[in-house]
């Protein structure tokens, strides 16, 4: 397929691409603590190599430099991963069972119930990909068009078409809202890397990232899903307010996970891998809650004020109210990934 000069997009609000939980930042996850079971999701991301060909475009030195600059900012790397030509993405994500076919925030009428209440930045950036530089977004669109990644009919078309927004023209992202959405997701990933990603990468490095066999099991497509505990451990160390907010989140998650386990048991009648993983999340969360409650008061690190503001804690240290429980959350009349 030859990449077109322009690519256009229209979302007809069919909700069909809302078929799994999205990636979220920690503040987004805290906001929606009654909707998404949070997990630490890890994936390997291939580095673009000069001369690689995708959809009729041959990657040049400028493409590779732009990809590398973005990876440096958003991803994690080791000497071994550099030799292997990949980096690691650490992000938070809602945990889904393999059998799940819908995002838990998708309403019965296929509308996004959190569309106007801090919808995750990853959803706002669809159909673009924050990990690819702007100059390569046309390849992202060509790839999604060819793979049927967005199952709605004709969401992405090459060239211009009536009723569609031109998203990219040549190597530029021309749609202002899309540019803003990409910038928001990249800013989120930068903050995540700074406030907990580097520390969690260090905690898991010996066991996971420096061990060739363990690192080799981290998928390129899909994610290795782990309990959110290492992330919360790092954030809870920051200050008393952060510890309190992490405990509140863990309490909310315990109730949500118990409800998910009950629902999964009702559906399948036996303890499959989904139920076992949810039980593991529950046990890890319980152990962390006990440890956090028993540990001495935090004095507050040098970055405490910045991290508290990022988490949405107000100046008195009180958390901002999270979104209501899923069943109390009215469905918005707008849809999926608009
Ligand atoms: S747009 Fe809403 S319903 Fe769709 S994946 Fe994102 S959060 Fe879920
Ligand atoms: S972007 Fe998603 S919700 Fe919109 S038309 Fe395509 S598949 Fe449907």
């Amino acid at each position: 397929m030859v990449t077109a000069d322009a690519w256009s997009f229209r979302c007809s609000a069919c909700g069909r691409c809302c078929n799994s939980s999205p990636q979220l930042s920690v503040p987004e996850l805290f906001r929606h603590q009654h909707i998404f079971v949070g997990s630490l999701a890890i994936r390997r991301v291939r580095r673009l190599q000069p001369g690689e060909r995708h959809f009729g475009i041959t990657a040049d030195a400028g493409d590779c430099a732009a990809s590398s600059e973005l990876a440096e900012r958003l991803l994690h790397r080791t000497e071994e991963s550099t030799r292997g030509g990949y980096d690691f993405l650490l992000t938070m994500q809602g945990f889904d069972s393999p059998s799940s076919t819908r995002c838990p925030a998708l309403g019965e009428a296929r509308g996004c119930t959190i569309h106007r209440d801090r919808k995750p930045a990853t959803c706002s950036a669809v159909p673009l990909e924050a990990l690819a530089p702007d100059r390569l977004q046309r390849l992202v669109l060509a790839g999604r068009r060819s793979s049927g990644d967005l199952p709605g009919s004709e969401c992405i078309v090459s060239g211009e078409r009536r009723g569609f927004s031109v998203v990219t023209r040549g190597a530029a992202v021309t749609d202002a809202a899309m540019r803003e959405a990409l910038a928001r997701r990249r800013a989120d990933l930068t903050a995540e890397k700074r406030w907990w990603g580097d520390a969690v990468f260090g905690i898991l490095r010996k066991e996971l990232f420096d061990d060739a066999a363990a690192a080799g099991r981290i998928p390129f497509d899909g994610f290795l899903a782990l309990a959110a505990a290492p992330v919360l451990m790092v954030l809870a160390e920051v200050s008393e307010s952060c510890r309190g907010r992490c405990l509140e989140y863990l309490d909310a998650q315990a109730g949500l996970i118990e409800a998910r386990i009950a629902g999964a048991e009702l559906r399948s009648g036996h303890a499959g891998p989904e139920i076992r993983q949810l039980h593991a999340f529950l046990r890890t969360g319980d152990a962390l809650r006990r440890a956090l409650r028993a540990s001495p008061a935090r004095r507050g690190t040098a970055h405490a004020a910045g991290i508290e503001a990022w988490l949405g804690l107000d100046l008195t240290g009180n958390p901002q109210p999270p979104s209501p429980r899923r069943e109390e959350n009215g469905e918005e009349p707008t849809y999926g990934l608009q």
Side-chain angles (χ1 to χ4, degrees):
M1 179 204 268
V2 176
T3 300
D5 176 55
W7 285 91
S8 302
F9 175 68
R10 179 181 66 181
C11 178
S12 61
C14 71
R16 287 167 67 195
C17 61
C18 300
N19 49 13
S20 60
S21 292
Q23 294 169 41
L24 306 111
S25 64
V26 171
E28 288 168 345
L29 198 53
F30 278 10
R31 176 75 186 155
H32 301 302
Q33 63 190 13
H34 297 296
I35 297 176
F36 299 104
V37 172
S39 66
L40 168 61
I42 303 173
R43 125 181 317 173
R44 286 188 288 168
V45 180
R46 283 191 187 84
R47 289 190 197 173
L48 188 68
Q49 305 296 337
E52 256 182 63
R53 250 182 107 67
H54 297 282
F55 304 103
I57 298 282
T58 303
D60 62 20
D63 295 331
C64 294
S67 297
S68 181
E69 184 276 322
L70 208 49
E72 184 74 41
R73 184 148 53 102
L74 309 180
L75 305 178
H76 303 264
R77 47 185 55 166
T78 62
E79 283 177 15
E80 177 61 29
S81 78
T82 297
R83 275 194 294 277
Y86 60 84
D87 300 296
F88 298 100
L89 169 65
L90 274 64
T91 183
M92 301 306 286
Q93 187 172 36
F95 174 77
D96 285 319
S97 70
S99 61
S100 164
T101 56
R102 58 190 297 136
C103 169
L106 188 66
E108 289 310 315
R110 304 198 77 74
C112 175
T113 55
I114 56 174
H115 183 71
R116 294 202 181 91
D117 179 15
R118 200 151 190 180
K119 183 164 86 166
T122 38
C123 301
S124 300
V126 168
L128 304 183
E129 167 54 63
L131 297 181
D134 284 9
R135 60 191 282 154
L136 295 178
Q137 292 297 333
R138 64 199 196 281
L139 297 188
V140 172
L141 294 171
R144 289 204 154 138
R145 167 81 183 156
S146 114
S147 68
D149 209 12
L150 298 181
S153 61
E154 298 271 298
C155 319
I156 299 169
V157 294
S158 60
E160 297 183 35
R161 190 179 292 184
R162 194 186 171 90
F164 285 64
S165 301
V166 177
V167 177
T168 62
R169 195 179 292 284
V173 177
T174 47
D175 184 295
M178 288 290 168
R179 274 203 308 274
E180 196 275 328
L182 280 179
R184 190 156 67 89
R185 178 58 183 155
R186 287 176 188 146
D188 282 354
L189 284 170
T190 305
E192 302 273 305
K193 186 169 188 267
R194 179 178 185 198
W195 296 136
W196 62 261
D198 286 340
V200 169
F201 189 74
I203 291 169
L204 299 176
R205 182 160 185 154
K206 193 162 168 231
E207 183 187 343
L208 188 56
F209 302 113
D210 281 344
D211 182 303
R217 286 195 289 274
I218 299 173
F220 286 106
D221 301 309
F223 283 98
L224 171 69
L226 304 176
V231 180
L232 298 169
M233 278 164 51
V234 167
L235 292 175
E237 282 307 311
V238 170
S239 67
E240 274 305 280
S241 298
C242 290
R243 173 166 72 160
R245 186 63 185 91
C246 288
L247 277 166
E248 185 197 324
Y249 171 77
L250 283 163
D251 289 344
Q253 287 281 286
L256 181 63
I257 294 171
E258 278 165 7
R260 288 280 163 85
I261 290 172
E265 283 175 346
L266 212 60
R267 280 196 306 279
S268 67
H270 63 91
E274 171 194 8
I275 296 173
R276 285 199 293 277
Q277 183 135 24
L278 286 169
H279 274 296
F281 284 180
L282 202 54
R283 282 195 302 276
T284 311
D286 282 348
L288 183 56
R289 279 196 289 175
R290 283 196 300 277
L292 290 182
R293 289 208 165 96
S295 58
R298 275 69 173 159
R299 285 204 213 129
T301 65
H303 297 300
I307 295 175
E308 288 170 6
W310 169 68
L311 286 176
L313 307 185
D314 70 20
L315 293 176
T316 61
N318 296 317
Q320 307 259 306
S323 64
R325 289 172 191 279
R326 174 70 182 80
E327 61 271 22
E328 297 160 6
N329 217 1
E331 190 166 334
E332 292 288 346
T334 45
Y335 291 86
L337 296 171
Q338 280 185 320

